[in-house]
């Protein structure tokens, strides 16, 4: 499922992106993949995302992205990723 609205983002390069899809909708992986393929990310862009802690961020992020920081607080996972 492709997140709605991502095609409305102006065509420019972003260094920092915040991704906070609705929980329990299985959107983290598809949102990150769509973002990775969008051409909107600058080289070494930083992506901050939140997800329910059950999400395996290793499987949800594109293979080429690195995990810079990972923290679980209660039922929420906070992740700092880099392209």
């Amino acid at each position: 499922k492709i997140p709605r609205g991502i095609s409305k983002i102006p065509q420019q390069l972003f260094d920092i992106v915040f991704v906070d899809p609705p929980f329990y909708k299985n959107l983290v992986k598809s949102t990150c993949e769509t973002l990775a393929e969008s051409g909107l990310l600058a080289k070494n862009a930083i992506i901050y995302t939140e997800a329910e802690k059950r999400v395996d961020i290793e499987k949800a992020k594109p293979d080429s992205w690195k995990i810079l920081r990972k923290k679980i607080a209660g039922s929420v996972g906070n992740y700092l990723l880099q392209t």
Side-chain angles (χ1 to χ4, degrees):
K1 183 173 178 180
I2 296 175
R4 287 181 286 145
I6 202 162
S7 62
K8 295 179 183 177
I9 298 171
Q11 285 297 312
Q12 59 183 328
L13 295 180
F14 293 90
D15 295 310
I16 300 172
V17 177
F18 294 89
V19 176
D20 190 13
F23 281 16
Y24 307 107
K25 300 283 185 182
N26 254 356
L27 291 173
V28 174
K29 183 172 178 64
S30 61
T31 301
C32 288
E33 288 174 349
T34 302
L35 188 58
E37 296 168 1
S38 70
L40 294 171
L41 298 175
K43 184 178 179 183
N44 298 318
I46 301 293
I47 298 92
Y48 172 83
T49 189
E50 292 184 354
E52 58 276 15
K53 76 175 181 179
R54 69 176 175 85
V55 169
D56 183 349
I57 198 66
E58 285 288 346
K59 292 180 181 174
K61 70 172 185 58
D63 291 337
S64 62
W65 291 11
K66 297 178 248 175
I67 299 173
L68 299 179
R69 210 170 266 207
K70 175 179 172 179
K71 182 178 179 184
I72 304 296
S75 62
V76 179
N78 304 284
Y79 308 100
L80 194 60
L81 311 169
Q82 185 176 34
T83 59

